[in-house]
Amino acid sequence: MTLIAIVSAKGSPGVSTAALAFTLTWPSPVLLAECDPAGGDLLAGYLARYELPAGRGMLPLASAALRGTADQELAGNLIDLDAPRQQRMALPGLTEPGQSATLNLAWTSLGEFFSRMTAQMVIADCGRLSSAHPPWALLARADLVLLALRPHSLRTVSPAVSAVSAMRRQLPAGFVENSLGLLLIGGGIAGREVSRHLGVPVVASLPWDAATAGALCGDGRGRRRAALMRKSAAAYENVTGLIANRRMDSALSRRDTEPLPVTP
């Protein structure tokens, strides 16, 4: 189906909050996968008030992906965020940052597994690229990588320059041009200026809504129609439309480069 990864350069511009808000508001079935090497936030935040079974999540699924049994073991590692409909599922992340090194061998298998899922769109919260073990192999399999940043000032935008450069080095040739977009969170510098400075298009913008973000982190209750949730729902058309257009362009490009059949 579709694999969308969300990352940041450094700091905490709201990657996890945006990923959860998208999961809760988008109309298609969604799987939120916590792929942040620094550890997941769901169990200690949004899901903290629930008593959930231990021992499920990213680490056992990564082992299953390496064994080739991820299809069979996926369901047992998920949490239904909208029970019992199974339309908004979550794969909890690591509980200890020290576990991230063990996933280095599994990111390729997990990326391939997520990218071929047909029942759900996958939103991967991949955290900061400045972490010790970024999931580069998983990012390389994504249909779209959203680089989240706050355009508050030059100080908050400038770390994205090195992040884009790192992606050019670590990901396949042409990936930045074809599969990278910006997710702006909050106001400040105009989106067109940020896009021009980084050479990357703005795909979506979310408001800085501290109250709703706090609720998504388990601190109080949020409103389904709050600004953050409304804008998250609206981002669906932009994100999926961009992916569809890029897939069409890629298909046309492949067709144009195919050799013409030779007739006897």
Side-chain angles (χ1 to χ4, degrees), residues 1-71:
M1 198 173 180
T2 301
L3 171 59
I4 299 167
I6 310 179
V7 299
S8 68
K10 56 184 277 189
S12 300
V15 170
S16 297
T17 299
L20 180 55
F22 288 162
T23 301
L24 295 176
T25 60
W26 284 7
S28 63
V30 178
L31 166 61
L32 171 58
E34 288 197 298
C35 301
D36 187 346
D41 297 319
L42 275 174
L43 293 180
Y46 185 73
L47 296 174
R49 63 184 181 275
Y50 300 103
E51 293 185 8
L52 299 170
R56 63 172 66 183
M58 179 60 67
L59 203 58
L61 184 67
S63 298
L66 288 172
R67 294 193 301 269
T69 59
D71 289 288

Side-chain angles (χ1 to χ4, degrees), residues 78-203:
L78 299 181
I79 294 171
D80 191 345
L81 300 179
D82 196 18
R85 295 192 296 172
Q86 298 186 349
Q87 296 295 297
R88 309 182 193 282
M89 307 298 289
L91 178 68
L94 301 178
T95 55
E96 295 289 340
Q99 297 170 331
S100 62
T102 65
L103 289 180
N104 281 342
L105 294 176
W107 287 128
T108 297
S109 298
L110 285 168
E112 292 173 352
F113 174 66
F114 290 146
S115 64
R116 70 172 185 265
M117 289 182 65
T118 57
Q120 296 161 311
M121 173 185 294
V122 179
I123 298 177
D125 172 2
C126 295
R128 305 175 184 89
L129 292 179
S130 58
S131 64
H133 303 283
W136 292 116
L138 185 145
L139 295 178
R141 300 290 302 187
D143 296 282
L144 176 66
V145 173
L146 291 174
L147 176 60
L149 60 92
R150 291 195 66 193
H152 178 69
S153 65
L154 185 60
R155 178 184 62 82
T156 60
V157 172
S158 59
V161 176
S162 60
V164 173
S165 297
M167 283 189 269
R168 290 188 188 280
R169 293 192 305 271
Q170 298 289 343
L171 298 175
F175 186 93
V176 168
E177 289 73 20
N178 297 317
S179 302
L180 180 63
L182 299 178
L183 170 60
L184 304 186
I185 300 177
I189 302 174
R192 63 181 178 276
E193 292 300 319
V194 178
S195 177
R196 183 181 61 82
H197 182 63
L198 297 175
V200 179
V202 175
V203 177

